[in-house]
Amino acid sequence: MGVLVLLSLLVVLFFFAQGNPPKDPLFYVFAIFSFTSVIDLIICMEEDGYISGFMAFYMKEGEPYLRTAHGMLICLWDGTVHYLLYLTMLGAIARQKNYKTVGLFWLGSLIMSMLVFLPGNVVGKYGTEVRPAFILNVPYLFLPVWAGMRIFREKNVLTKIPAEQITLAHKEGIFQRPVDIALILYLLGAITFTLFRGLLALDCPSDSCFTYIYQYEPYIRDPVAYPKVLMLVNMFYLLPFLCVSIYALLVPGCTWMLSWAVVCAGAMAQAQFAHIGSSIYHRTPYTYRVPRETWWEFMIMNVLYTLGMQLLAYRCVQNPAYFLRDTKQTVEEGKKQD
């Protein structure tokens, strides 16, 4: 039924767009995904008792792991944040406006969600309850990859900056950029925190790991396996980016930073929303929730860890001159070589 509804929606969209069809094929992808976002929001509302009689059968026979704290929170994120992003991108496509920044944030958020959700379903305690409805998640794995390739090829409006401004930005040393110094300090702390939590997921036997996981983040031990998968994804994929970001803040002209900072900001926002929420959510067993004595320390550490990446992406979007290549200087160097 889910497949039939999605195909029917695609046919309806194609029919109504015959008069003035959008040139961007991602219009249809975002429209279908916005429909599934509403379904996720209905799931979340019904499971929390706000409505009833819509998704009970599906939750029981289709994807029972969605009833976990992590499942509820990714449905809530998809039904609110992703839904607003879809509407924003659909509006931009309809007006023929650039939506690359919003698209990159969505891309990072959705891919992170799938990288944690799909393996967690298989290796966690619900691994024996994976049913054919699991296949409905496959489009969320492959379509974002195709969409991401198209979004990365979009022209970036941030690059339309005068060459003189880029040259001036490149001449500024690190001590003339206090914001970048603060971001480097954040990145050093985030690198340490990411590596430490990755070791926790790998059952590090040291006393500091034992104390932290029992007093601050016992949710990492939850047998649903989502938190462990998240920590490993962060350690193997996010950690390298945190390291090279320090290089990009010290060496000018790293144009890749403009796109990947936004992608990682979206990934961090989604992952931390699910992790923080699951750590205090009533669906998580009491023994795996954050203890009341360390609630504030847990929240401060994780909120700062999340906001730092958002500020890094905001810095790249708002003031990208330092990360652009100095074409004027490149031309002058070429003339000297000739």
Side-chain angles (χ1 to χ4, degrees), residues 238-249:
L238 182 63
L239 182 61
F241 173 78
L242 296 175
C243 296
V244 297
S245 293
I246 297 178
Y247 173 84
L249 289 170

Side-chain angles (χ1 to χ4, degrees), residues 180-240:
D180 289 354
I181 293 177
L183 289 173
I184 289 175
L185 293 176
Y186 157 75
L187 288 169
L188 291 173
I191 288 170
T192 305
F193 193 53
T194 303
L195 181 60
F196 178 67
R197 294 207 298 182
L199 295 177
L200 293 177
L202 294 172
D203 297 326
C204 174
S206 70
D207 293 338
S208 59
C209 291
F210 180 84
T211 301
Y212 181 86
I213 201 169
Y214 277 91
Q215 293 186 2
Y216 293 91
E217 297 197 45
Y219 176 60
I220 297 177
R221 300 185 297 111
D222 195 322
V224 293
Y226 299 120
K228 284 191 175 183
V229 174
L230 172 59
M231 299 309 151
L232 294 177
V233 169
N234 284 343
M235 187 170 69
F236 290 112
Y237 294 98
L238 182 63
L239 182 61

Side-chain angles (χ1 to χ4, degrees), residues 65-197:
Y65 37 77
L66 286 177
R67 285 178 168 168
T68 61
H70 184 86
M72 286 293 96
L73 287 164
I74 65 170
C75 284
L76 180 60
W77 181 269
D78 191 49
T80 54
V81 177
H82 283 171
Y83 185 63
L84 292 175
L85 294 176
Y86 292 137
L87 294 182
T88 301
M89 291 186 287
L90 287 170
I93 294 174
R95 297 192 303 271
Q96 297 183 353
K97 300 291 184 179
N98 187 284
Y99 61 92
K100 184 172 183 178
T101 301
V102 178
L104 291 173
F105 188 89
W106 162 81
L107 179 66
S109 176
L110 186 60
I111 288 181
M112 174 61 86
S113 177
M114 290 295 103
L115 284 177
V116 176
F117 181 64
L118 296 182
N121 294 338
V122 176
V123 302
K125 70 177 184 179
Y126 286 92
T128 57
E129 297 189 42
V130 175
R131 296 163 188 175
F134 183 79
I135 301 174
L136 291 174
N137 295 295
V138 173
Y140 282 91
L141 191 61
F142 293 103
L143 284 178
V145 175
W146 172 68
M149 295 173 62
R150 294 189 60 89
I151 292 172
F152 267 99
R153 287 199 296 265
E154 288 284 329
K155 293 182 179 179
N156 200 331
V157 294
L158 304 176
T159 58
K160 296 179 180 179
I161 296 176
E164 293 77 11
Q165 185 177 344
I166 297 175
T167 302
L168 184 62
H170 283 197
K171 291 181 179 179
E172 293 182 348
I174 184 61
F175 295 106
Q176 295 174 284
R177 295 177 281 121
V179 173
D180 289 354
I181 293 177
L183 289 173
I184 289 175
L185 293 176
Y186 157 75
L187 288 169
L188 291 173
I191 288 170
T192 305
F193 193 53
T194 303
L195 181 60
F196 178 67
R197 294 207 298 182

Side-chain angles (χ1 to χ4, degrees), residues 161-172 251-254 321-338:
I161 296 176
E164 293 77 11
Q165 185 177 344
I166 297 175
T167 302
L168 184 62
H170 283 197
K171 291 181 179 179
E172 293 182 348
V251 180
C254 298
Y322 183 79
F323 302 104
L324 298 176
R325 292 180 182 176
D326 191 348
T327 54
K328 182 179 179 181
Q329 185 177 359
T330 304
V331 171
E332 291 177 354
E333 291 176 355
K335 289 181 179 178
K336 290 180 181 179
Q337 292 178 359
D338 293 339

Side-chain angles (χ1 to χ4, degrees), residues 51-73:
I51 58 177
S52 62
F54 289 92
M55 304 297 295
F57 176 79
Y58 180 78
M59 296 297 288
K60 181 180 179 181
E61 303 296 337
E63 297 188 84
Y65 37 77
L66 286 177
R67 285 178 168 168
T68 61
H70 184 86
M72 286 293 96
L73 287 164

